[in-house]
Amino acid sequence: MSVDSLLTAEAVDPAFATLTPVHRASTAHGWWRSAVIYQIYPRSFRDLNGDGIGDLAGITAELPQLAELGVDAVWLSPFYRSPQRDAGYDVSDYCDVDPLFGRLVDFDALIAEANRLQLRVIADIVPNHCSDQHVAFQAAKAAPANSPERDMFIFRDGLGPEGTEPPNNWQSHFGGPAWTRITEPDRQPGQWYLHLFDSSQPDFNWHNPAVHAEFERVLRFWLDRGISGFRVDVAHALVKAPGLPDWGGRPDGNSTDGFPGQDAPMFGQPALHDIYRRWRSILEEYGPDRILCAEANVDPLPRLAQWVRHDEMHQAFNFPFLHAGLDVDRLRHIVTDSLVSLDAVGAPSTWVLSNHDVVRHASRFGYDGPGPRDGDGIGPSDPQPNEQLGRRRAAAATMFMLGLPGGAYLYQGEELGLPDSTSIPGSLRQDPAFARTGGARIGRDGCRVPLPWRSSEMHAGFGAGRDPWLPLPESWSNLARDKQQADPASHLNLYREMLAQRSTLQLGRGSLAWVEDYCSHTSLGYLNGSTLVVMNVGTEPMPLPEGEVLLRSSAADRNDPLGSGETIWLITS
Ligand code: NOJ
Ligand code: CA
């Protein structure tokens, strides 16, 4: 097949006719293949009843703002009943709303408003672990060893003559051992249970069919209430290797030398695929539009592609892309590898730069040297990011991302160019990683700070009442949505224009070919249809490519050279 015939009709600009396409435009059905999905972190979105914590009614009230921004769907982080030891990722009842966020009727009202606005809603499901307050775990603790109740979780006897040592050497993601010993009903020290995260988050035993049945019930409960699918929390962890062998690598499944650990006994086990095949078939009972997206930290990309084969999940987060930062060689490699690997199984790629677990990209990119370690956060005594530099580069990186074919995930507040809050005092920090490491790891609170909506209102319009659960930095009233709406050159208006152009030009369904003239060690250029996207991360300006300027990430004049930390979209024909 000739290179030309691989290019889509609209990509055949004579100047670029010799390009080698990496990916061809897709005509496959499925809204998610090109969707922009906006992550809502409920406790920090909007507090309508003034108790200091965001709520479902607050989300419903502001959904029109998201429809106007131009996203296709929202993903809600957990709002289920929960003691909130890990901000809701410790669920005590999967089929109810936590009173902190409202009631089931508030959820129904949210869905009704989303339907009116033609926004889809995706929920977070947390199947690897629940809360230690869940009735099943309470029952397990009260029942004897080897009982059906204990078999819902992963209980083992300890090692050593008195059973005082944990059953293996696994570590919790949040620091410390991944095992906690219980006191048996007869008040004697007893068995240990596994928790890959906090001790308040016991792992389910996915070798037990009763666990499968329970989660199938939960899926149906929310599908019946009108959701469009699920983001599956730590989807790669549910099944553990038989015998629970010791593991010498890092708790995130990577080996100690930083390379992906393909043999981690707590991750990526083959039996996972059968679970998601079954879930896919349940979703399909509800029609072709309901989706599953894996939060699966699986490397390398061809291995991740196995998660999105035609009868498994629809999407998986592209964490290698997020972690590539602004390293253009790595970015190019990852974009190519993603598209090629996922094309091989007929799945779309996804792209993401921020979420509730990492330092926001406007802060990550605010360093000239090495930035913060992922997941570790930035504390008041750490080197501080340069806010303006970070925001400028964040706009450029987002413009690079939103020009790519596939789906994209945005994290609430990135459209305002929000940085992490780095000034939160230790006494207010809530991420269990902070407490479990004695403050050695700052944790993820900095990216979870409530949103500023209206500059002149109390707490920048997040909520008119008690202090927000984490303080909003004072300077954030300047970043409030209402101020940015009024400023044509704002970060928010850039996002709105990007999303509008992306939709008009159908970039999410488009093609990709690298344009070598614009690829160097400090820049990348690619063609998607007839849109040329060029990002300059070097220190020197670049001559402006030929073409009609559609959009640029800075407020520069249309004819200025492409500045440092800037991206441009042009039409080449
Ligand atoms: C991944 C979630 O995104 C994170 O916030 C949570 O702490 C862990 N999974 C445990 O559920
Ligand atoms: Ca509230």
Side-chain angles (χ1 to χ4, degrees), residues 39 75 86 89 124-129 173-174 197 230-238 267-268 272 276 279 292-298 304 307-308 313 315-319 322-323 350 352 355-358 409 444 448:
Q39 179 188 358
W75 144 36
D86 184 22
Y89 284 93
D124 214 308
I125 190 161
V126 190
N128 179 66
H129 48 264
H173 268 258
F174 295 152
F197 293 90
F230 300 93
R231 172 262 190 196
V232 184
D233 189 64
V234 277
H236 53 307
L238 278 51
F267 292 130
L272 287 163
Y276 300 127
W279 286 21
L292 291 170
C293 177
E295 190 222 13
N297 217 340
V298 179
L304 186 62
W307 287 66
V308 288
M313 298 220 187
Q315 291 185 329
F317 288 132
N318 195 331
F319 291 125
L322 186 153
H323 295 305
T350 63
V352 63
N355 64 37
H356 66 294
D357 290 331
V358 297
Y409 278 82
R444 303 159 294 176
R448 299 175 173 182

Side-chain angles (χ1 to χ4, degrees), residues 47-51 53-55 100:
D47 170 23
L48 209 67
N49 69 354
D51 66 354
I53 299 188
D55 39 54
L100 208 52

